[in-house]
Amino acid sequence: HLADNSGPYPGVESTLDKLIDTGFTLAVVTNKPIRLTHKLLDQLDLARRFKSVIGGDSTPYRKPDPQSIQLALKELNVTATQAVMVGDSSADIDGAKNAECASIGVSYGYSRGVAIEDLKPSRVIDHFDQIIDIVQFLQD
């Protein structure tokens, strides 16, 4: 019943597909256990979109420690300056800073009542499809 009350936010699937079609390689870096992460991605039919999936137990330390993000970068064969972390929590945004990546803060989701702007990500979005324009801007 892992995915019974879960699903992607509006625009997530189409945005992921557009990013892939544009040549981006995608990863998931979460603090959730890897076994449950794979199971949830499979049940939501999202797994095929990600070349790397890193869970909270994939490295000795969880985000905001940079190790999990660095492992994903290594698996994708990209540098921190070529990557953008998208997230909705301090673990995501601080993890990106600690890994020396750009970050996009999502204004909705799991923020524990902290305004994403207060975490000072590189950019903030209110809808997932805004990522397309931002990543193109960050690449320039």
Side-chain angles (χ1 to χ4, degrees):
H1 299 285
L2 187 62
D4 286 356
N5 296 309
S6 297
Y9 283 105
V12 168
E13 292 177 274
S14 62
T15 300
L16 295 176
D17 291 339
K18 285 177 189 173
L19 289 168
I20 292 166
D21 291 345
T22 308
F24 287 91
T25 306
L26 308 179
V28 170
V29 179
T30 179
N31 282 342
K32 294 170 183 61
I34 190 70
R35 182 183 66 78
L36 295 177
T37 301
H38 279 296
K39 190 173 182 177
L40 182 61
L41 289 172
D42 287 340
Q43 289 181 12
L44 296 177
D45 193 31
L46 295 172
R48 62 187 165 81
R49 294 176 171 97
F50 300 101
K51 298 287 186 195
S52 175
V53 178
I54 307 298
D57 49 359
S58 298
T59 66
Y61 301 100
R62 297 166 31 137
K63 296 178 300 179
D65 185 276
Q67 285 186 32
S68 56
I69 296 171
Q70 291 166 338
L71 178 57
L73 296 174
K74 182 178 180 181
E75 288 185 0
L76 298 179
N77 195 33
V78 297
T79 65
T81 59
Q82 295 172 305
V84 178
M85 175 72 174
V86 178
D88 61 358
S89 72
S90 61
D92 298 323
I93 304 307
D94 291 343
K97 289 175 186 175
N98 292 337
E100 299 180 359
C101 295
S103 61
I104 296 174
V106 179
S107 65
Y108 53 90
Y110 182 76
S111 66
R112 292 186 172 189
V114 176
I116 200 73
E117 296 85 359
D118 293 346
L119 302 174
K120 308 225 182 300
S122 306
R123 298 284 188 276
V124 174
I125 60 170
D126 297 314
H127 194 275
F128 206 78
D129 64 3
Q130 293 175 292
I131 290 172
I132 301 294
D133 293 333
I134 291 173
V135 294
Q136 290 173 344
F137 171 79
L138 291 173
Q139 284 187 318
D140 295 338

